[in-house]
Amino acid sequence: MNEAVHDPAAVNRRITTLSVAVACILVVAKGFAYGASGSVSILASLTDSALDLLASLTTFFAVRWAAAAPDNEHRYGHGKAESLAALVQSGLVAASAVFIGLEAVRRIFNPQPVTGGGWAIGVTVFSIAVTAWLIWQQGRAIRSSDSMAVKGDRAHYSADLAANAVVLIGVISGALLRAPGLDAAAGLVVAVWLGWGAFGLARSAAGHLLDEAAPDEVRNAVVAAVLEDERLTNVHQLRTRMAGNTLMVQMHVDVDRNLTLADAHELVVAAERRVMALQPDVDVIIHADPAPTPPNTLVPQT
């Protein structure tokens, strides 16, 4: 087995390098196609790919920063760099959506013929194939690392895949059907699609940056793991959040007040290990509280 199978950080480094390489190839190919055709759909796709390159570079550096070990200034590590990168990506995609939308509206009212349609169609088909292959590779990487930054990268490439299909329709309409207005309309559809994708990505990244709680199913699994030992009761003050790929968990539990400190500590450590077994990267702190004394129970005097 190679390192990438076992090390999520290595998986992220490999897939982000691949993403940057694919973005460079697509920018060059679409630049050539736009020069040959003048298609607004190709221009939309070229602009999106150029911003994809910036976003992929952001992700490239973010996953390396996020993998850095905790230090004196960042005791919880650097995992939120991934969420920050995803937020930057959403801004870049939103900016491209605005630019493409304005250009599409201008071309709808002032249609221009699409030339070099064969080149434009060929490059668009090539872009669809390469983008689909990259998304497949990113899906494999996410299953290994669950990286927020790679998820963001995959989200905008998934939007690109659908956008390129719309671009293909627009180029064919403009070049073969002699309907440049349809080409411009296709560009407008791309802009709306990208804007919606940017909104969803920004919402997800903001949730991580603002310490949004883990999903209900994750919190329920954490509580169930702790309460497997019947000597632990009443989980309360449960707090969860994500720091990059790390699930941060804090809680209080009740233990028998007559246990020694050493015995209570042993119970808590065992519970923490059960929680850490739920997923690859968990940081958990459990505080033991003395369980309330049942009514009408005499407390031994010391």
Side-chain angles (χ1 to χ4, degrees):
M1 295 289 182
N2 57 38
E3 177 193 16
V5 173
H6 302 287
D7 184 1
V11 172
N12 291 339
R13 288 193 297 269
R14 181 188 66 82
I15 197 63
T16 52
T17 300
L18 183 62
S19 177
V20 170
V22 167
C24 289
I25 292 171
L26 293 180
V27 166
V28 172
K30 291 177 182 179
F32 175 79
Y34 177 64
S37 68
S39 164
V40 69
S41 294
I42 292 293
L43 174 61
S45 190
L46 170 61
T47 303
D48 183 41
S49 290
L51 289 173
D52 283 349
L53 177 57
L54 292 177
S56 293
L57 285 170
T58 300
T59 305
F60 178 89
F61 291 109
V63 298
R64 287 156 176 78
W65 186 22
D71 54 35
N72 289 335
E73 289 75 32
H74 306 88
R75 290 293 189 178
Y76 289 99
H78 303 80
K80 287 194 175 182
E82 293 198 7
S83 301
L84 186 60
L87 194 62
V88 171
Q89 287 176 333
S90 69
L92 291 173
V93 174
S96 70
V98 171
F99 172 79
I100 294 167
L102 292 175
E103 181 65 14
V105 170
R106 186 179 72 82
R107 291 287 188 97
I108 287 175
F109 290 101
N110 183 26
Q112 297 182 16
V114 175
T115 59
W119 283 108
I121 292 170
V123 167
T124 303
V125 171
F126 170 76
S127 298
I128 290 173
V130 172
T131 302
W133 175 76
L134 176 61
I135 290 170
W136 176 66
Q137 292 288 340
Q138 288 172 325
R140 295 180 60 193
I142 289 169
R143 286 192 290 273
S144 298
S145 68
D146 198 36
S147 167
M148 178 70 185
V150 176
K151 286 180 180 178
D153 212 31
R154 185 176 186 266
H156 77 247
Y157 276 109
S158 297
D160 287 351
L161 185 62
N164 282 327
V166 175
V167 167
L168 182 61
I169 295 171
V171 171
I172 291 174
S173 299
L176 303 184
L177 302 181
R178 303 292 185 236
L182 292 179
D183 172 59
L188 188 59
V189 171
V190 171
V192 173
W193 181 274
L194 291 175
W196 179 251
F199 172 76
L201 182 57
R203 183 174 57 182
S204 178
H208 276 216
L209 291 171
L210 296 174
D211 290 336
E212 184 178 57
D216 287 344
E217 58 269 23
V218 173
R219 287 183 286 149
N220 291 339
V222 167
V223 172
V226 171
L227 297 181
E228 284 180 15
D229 190 326
E230 295 180 352
R231 293 171 293 178
L232 299 175
T233 59
N234 187 29
V235 172
H236 55 286
Q237 296 186 41
L238 173 63
R239 297 179 181 179
T240 60
R241 64 185 178 91
M242 295 299 299
N245 297 329
T246 303
L247 172 64
M248 314 294 293
V249 180
Q250 297 179 16
M251 72 180 75
H252 289 225
V253 296
D254 288 351
V255 299
D256 187 339
R257 63 174 52 245
N258 295 317
L259 290 177
T260 65
L261 177 60
D263 289 340
H265 174 73
E266 184 178 338
L267 288 178
V268 166
V269 169
E272 289 176 342
R273 288 174 179 163
R274 291 195 297 273
V275 173
M276 288 188 287
L278 293 176
Q279 62 184 63
D281 199 355
V282 180
D283 188 313
V284 56
I285 298 175
I286 300 178
H287 177 79
D289 291 334
T293 304
N296 302 320
T297 299
L298 294 178
V299 178
Q301 299 297 315
T302 57

